[in-house]
Amino acid sequence: MLIRLLRVHLRPYRKPMALIVLLQLVQTLAMLYLPTLNADIIDNGVVTGDTGYILRLGGVMLAVALAQLACATCAVYFGARTAMALGRDVRASLFDRVQAYSAREVGRFGTSSLITRTTNDVQQVQMLVLMTFTMMVAAPIMCVGGILMALNQDVPLSSLLLVIVPVLAVIIGIIIYRMRPLFRLVQERLDRINQVLREQITGVRVIRAFVRDGRERDRFAVANTELLEVSVGVGRLMALMFPVVMLVVNVSSVAVLWFGGHRIDGGSMQVGALTAFLSYLMQILMSVMMATFMFMMVPRAEVCAERIQEVLDTDSSVVPPAVPVRATDVHGLLELRGVEFRYPGAEEPVLRGIDLVARPGETTAVIGSTGSGKTTLLNLVPRLFDATGGTVLVDGIDVRDLDAVVLSEAVGFIPQKPYLFSGTIASNLRYGKPDATEEELWQALETAQARDFVEKMPDGLDTKIAQGGTNVSGGQRQRLAIARALVHRPEIYLFDDSFSALDYATDAALRAALARETADATVVIVAQRVSTIRDADRIVVLDQGRAVAEGTHGELMKTSETYREIVLSQLTEQEAA
């Protein structure tokens, strides 16, 4: 998965990557040449006392060192830019994919996991690429070049490398093999931490209302301790790796000095050659250490890449049309024909056999007990879900064939839990119509019964709104969400229990104003409160996913026992009449 992810997202950066490899090659060759020059100075300059020779070769060494420094600096610069660009592109791909998801896919992965995959997981892959460009590219060149240069200095002494390098590789391989499953656990535990923390921050009022601070503290401590235990396990293996590598390096140095000293004593080797051989040994082992450092990152990056690719490979259940219909004249006629919706793996469908027609200039209400499928029914119209059976049509066109922009312009959806974005009141109201004038904003606020409290705010339309609208009350949040839909001015309004946080007087005033504002539009209202929908032109009663009755309030009170039970649970017989 890691190779696949990198191959796709690094393809646009082939030229910078080729330049990085070239720069790393030059700087590594320069580094490999320096010990040979040093050995030449010792054997032909220091031993013979030729100062001029020392100065000449010293100048060459200086020039080679400066060239190495320049190439290394440029390689790091281009490597960092390419790695950061990769991170940006992967995050953008994840964001685009998640934006295309329906609520089903978002629920499958979970919000906290998607956040972790987009941030921490991408960061791990990005860091691996950065270290690859700055260290790993040079490591094999240095290792192979070091071996060749060591052979050039003394072939018999180079036989030590046949023992040193395999021993080091085996030790590192065993440690990395044990680290890989732990890295997967680390990412899963991070998901759990994010999930618990997100729940506690979002539900802090409930926690305090029920005085459950201690329980939530213990719950977070459990998730935190689980992450700690896995991280400590990874840390132990990491802590073991470097001492083992340094032990091999130091033992190797002693062995080279021991056998090299004997060869010098026998006249088979010069002092400068032994010095150069030691330098090449250090470079070879240094390259192995760099590879070791990289291999420590590879298992975690591989796990992260699998998690990222899982999101990228998951297609949305809401598929865009192959040939979208771009209707320019939308009237707002909404029809549901034999609609069924079933969640994956569910034994029974949430909705079955739903037939409904909502016409422009009329208000259609949907009522039913909790869990009867009212919200699911509304979600099918803007394609938050797609019906698993039957069709949903706007002006006779299946919503699955309509262009997404056309459908968005035709439908104004006010969800059960209204959400406001961080910014200002004006920026939230203009969310569906960026070029809306202030006059349009105030008109929408007046219709939504929100003008009074907005005018009382110190900055009016420029008043800051916190993320989620947490700095305004539930009723104010609902009215602002309704105003946002009114600014959008769609042909179809979908109100999903959007009046539940309003008092009866405000509810009545808002519905009266809405009736005037949406006189020519199609209005569909889902509500639990009978007073909200009793004046609708048509009321559809849902029971266990089926439409069991349809008619006006008066008709249903006479013909539908289900509707009558709902009404009398809220109103007296006289009020209902």
Side-chain angles (χ1 to χ4, degrees):
M1 286 296 183
L2 179 61
I3 300 299
R4 178 183 166 193
L5 181 71
L6 296 180
R7 186 171 60 245
V8 171
H9 288 89
L10 284 177
R11 191 172 295 143
Y13 305 103
R14 283 175 288 189
K15 289 183 179 179
M17 288 167 60
L19 179 60
I20 291 166
V21 172
L22 178 62
L23 290 169
Q24 291 285 25
L25 175 63
V26 173
Q27 77 99 4
T28 305
L29 292 177
M31 185 183 294
L32 290 169
Y33 188 42
L34 288 174
T36 298
L37 290 174
N38 188 48
D40 199 7
I41 288 176
I42 292 172
D43 292 336
N44 300 318
V46 176
V47 173
T48 60
D50 189 345
T51 306
Y53 191 81
I54 295 172
L55 291 175
R56 285 195 303 276
L57 279 190
V60 174
M61 286 185 71
L62 180 62
V64 172
L66 289 175
Q68 179 211 346
L69 177 64
C71 290
T73 303
C74 292
V76 170
Y77 173 76
F78 287 109
R81 282 185 62 89
T82 305
M84 297 306 111
L86 169 77
R88 176 199 63 200
D89 294 348
V90 175
R91 280 191 296 270
S93 297
L94 281 169
F95 180 80
D96 291 343
R97 175 63 69 175
V98 173
Q99 286 294 301
Y101 279 171
S102 70
R104 181 187 299 179
E105 286 76 40
V106 174
R108 170 191 159 190
F109 285 105
T111 305
S112 58
S113 181
L114 288 172
I115 292 172
T116 305
R117 293 172 198 241
T118 310
T119 53
N120 186 270
D121 287 8
V122 173
Q123 187 178 12
Q124 297 300 326
V125 175
Q126 178 181 280
M127 188 59 64
L128 174 71
V129 173
L130 175 61
M131 300 308 295
T132 299
F133 287 149
T134 55
M135 293 174 60
M136 192 59 186
V137 171
I141 302 172
M142 186 182 295
C143 184
V144 174
I147 291 172
L148 293 176
M149 296 300 286
L151 287 169
N152 184 55
Q153 294 297 326
D154 192 89
V155 174
L157 197 58
S158 300
S159 60
L160 289 172
L161 297 174
L162 296 175
V163 177
I164 297 167
V165 175
V167 168
L168 199 56
V170 168
I171 292 172
I172 292 168
I174 292 172
I175 294 175
I176 289 173
Y177 177 78
R178 296 190 60 186
M179 286 171 68
R180 193 180 186 283
L182 292 179
F183 279 128
R184 177 176 291 279
L185 275 177
V186 166
Q187 297 306 118
E188 291 174 357
R189 300 289 163 81
L190 275 173
D191 280 351
R192 178 62 180 160
I193 285 276
N194 282 339
Q195 179 188 359
V196 173
L197 190 59
R198 183 182 177 87
E199 284 181 354
Q200 291 175 345
I201 292 174
T202 306
V204 64
R205 294 180 181 177
V206 178
I207 293 169
R208 290 178 179 171
F210 286 91
V211 196
R212 305 295 285 174
D213 304 63
R215 176 184 176 276
E216 293 302 319
R217 194 179 297 112
D218 293 341
R219 187 162 159 249
F220 183 80
V222 169
N224 207 10
T225 303
E226 288 176 348
L227 177 61
L228 170 68
E229 290 171 352
V230 177
S231 300
V232 167
V234 173
R236 284 175 182 154
L237 290 173
M238 285 185 174
L240 177 64
M241 183 175 287
F242 283 106
V244 169
V245 170
M246 291 310 300
L247 176 64
V248 174
V249 169
N250 291 327
V251 170
S252 303
S253 301
V254 171
V256 167
L257 287 173
W258 175 265
F259 291 107
H262 283 291
R263 290 187 60 76
I264 291 171
D265 188 50
S268 303
M269 191 177 189
Q270 292 181 310
V271 175
L274 178 60
T275 305
F277 191 91
L278 271 173
S279 297
Y280 288 129
L281 176 66
M282 289 300 106
Q283 288 181 350
I284 293 167
L285 296 180
M286 187 64 66
S287 67
V288 176
M289 288 181 66
M290 285 194 292
T292 299
F293 186 74
M294 287 298 305
F295 287 137
M296 288 169 57
M297 300 179 68
V298 167
R300 186 171 188 179
E302 188 177 3
V303 169
C304 293
E306 288 177 4
R307 287 158 51 87
I308 292 168
Q309 200 64 51
E310 185 183 5
V311 175
L312 296 178
D313 288 343
T314 300
D315 294 323
S316 174
S317 56
V318 176
V319 182
V323 184
V325 178
R326 294 180 172 87
T328 55
D329 188 16
V330 179
H331 302 290
L333 176 63
L334 174 64
E335 297 177 79
L336 279 73
R337 298 177 183 171
V339 166
E340 177 184 289
F341 181 79
R342 182 192 301 266
Y343 286 101
E347 294 182 1
E348 296 290 333
V350 179
L351 297 172
R352 67 189 87 186
I354 300 294
D355 292 305
L356 184 149
V357 178
R359 298 180 177 84
E362 294 183 355
T363 298
T364 303
V366 180
I367 195 168
S369 58
T370 302
S372 58
K374 303 184 297 298
T375 296
T376 303
L377 186 148
L378 283 196
N379 287 338
L380 298 176
V381 180
R383 296 196 71 196
L384 299 181
F385 297 103
D386 267 347
T388 53
T391 54
V392 179
L393 303 102
V394 172
D395 289 340
I397 303 171
D398 194 325
V399 293
R400 287 171 287 200
D401 297 328
L402 268 176
D403 182 78
V405 175
V406 174
L407 182 61
S408 173
E409 290 175 350
V411 176
F413 182 55
I414 301 91
Q416 195 170 17
K417 296 180 180 179
Y419 189 89
L420 301 179
F421 295 90
S422 57
T424 64
I425 290 177
S427 68
N428 273 279
L429 296 183
R430 289 192 175 106
Y431 198 74
K433 188 180 179 183
D435 58 348
T437 64
E438 284 200 11
E439 183 180 349
E440 290 177 297
L441 301 187
W442 285 116
Q443 176 61 36
L445 288 170
E446 186 168 351
T447 303
Q449 307 302 301
R451 181 166 190 151
D452 289 345
F453 76 79
V454 172
E455 284 180 334
K456 292 176 183 177
M457 292 179 171
D459 298 319
L461 290 172
D462 294 325
T463 300
K464 296 292 182 184
I465 295 293
Q467 183 181 3
T470 54
N471 60 334
V472 293
S473 70
Q476 290 173 336
R477 194 156 54 244
Q478 279 194 337
R479 283 177 280 172
L480 289 174
I482 292 169
R484 179 170 58 194
L486 291 169
V487 171
H488 183 43
R489 300 199 69 80
E491 282 72 28
I492 301 172
Y493 288 89
L494 306 176
F495 295 95
D496 184 8
D497 205 11
S498 306
F499 311 97
S500 57
L502 306 181
D503 59 81
Y504 284 95
T506 305
D507 183 2
L510 175 54
R511 284 187 286 108
L514 273 175
R516 295 189 297 270
E517 190 71 21
T518 62
D520 298 325
T522 302
V523 179
V524 181
I525 300 176
V526 162
Q528 298 280 4
R529 192 185 290 173
V530 173
S531 60
T532 302
I533 54 95
R534 65 185 297 171
D535 296 325
D537 299 290
R538 185 184 300 100
I539 300 172
V540 177
V541 183
L542 290 186
D543 186 30
Q544 296 182 352
R546 293 183 182 276
V548 295
E550 183 179 326
T552 63
H553 172 74
E555 292 170 348
L556 290 172
M557 285 295 292
K558 298 174 183 177
T559 60
S560 173
E561 187 62 32
T562 303
Y563 182 75
R564 184 177 175 81
E565 286 178 3
I566 294 172
V567 172
L568 294 180
S569 68
Q570 301 178 31
L571 306 174
T572 64
E573 190 78 42
Q574 292 77 13
E575 290 171 329

